[in-house]
Amino acid sequence: MSRAAITADGARLHLAGVLDHASVPTLREQGRALIGQGSGPLVMDCAGVEHSNSAGLALLLAWLRDAQAAGRPLTIAHLPSELRQIAEVSDALALLPLVDQAQA
């Protein structure tokens, strides 16, 4: 398992690694800073996420709030099945603005 990271490539943010209670606090602040830079819509690409627990879902929801506060629409691409299942069980899937895989 690799260390978690968030990077930016223009309007696309790339989330990678393991999302857990150890990695999420740092990612939270890094993501908030990236969301606060610039303007316009963003895509959070989760293709690099290797493993996640409920902390990963909480992280995505927090970033959605940050993006809304910054006036930047944020959509989520390539949500891993593990995170999708956590969101479904938590009754939070409808809160995630998922991009159709064909559009991702």
Side-chain angles (χ1 to χ4, degrees):
M1 293 187 199
S2 67
R3 187 171 158 220
I6 182 168
T7 57
D9 180 15
R12 194 169 194 91
L13 304 177
H14 298 273
L15 185 58
V18 177
L19 310 181
D20 59 19
H21 293 84
S23 64
V24 162
T26 301
L27 288 171
R28 171 77 172 99
E29 295 308 315
Q30 293 171 344
R32 182 187 325 206
L34 291 172
I35 290 166
Q37 297 173 2
S39 61
L42 291 166
V43 174
M44 178 67 63
D45 189 335
C46 298
V49 173
E50 298 172 16
H51 175 72
S52 182
N53 59 28
S54 60
L57 175 59
L59 178 65
L60 292 177
L61 293 171
W63 283 338
L64 286 168
R65 287 190 305 271
D66 292 341
Q68 183 177 26
R72 300 190 77 183
L74 175 66
T75 54
I76 300 169
H78 304 114
L79 186 71
S81 61
E82 184 176 48
L83 260 174
R84 181 182 293 273
Q85 290 173 350
I86 293 168
E88 286 174 350
V89 169
S90 304
D91 203 24
L93 188 60
L95 301 174
L96 301 177
L98 302 177
V99 175
D100 184 331
Q101 296 303 346
Q103 298 171 345

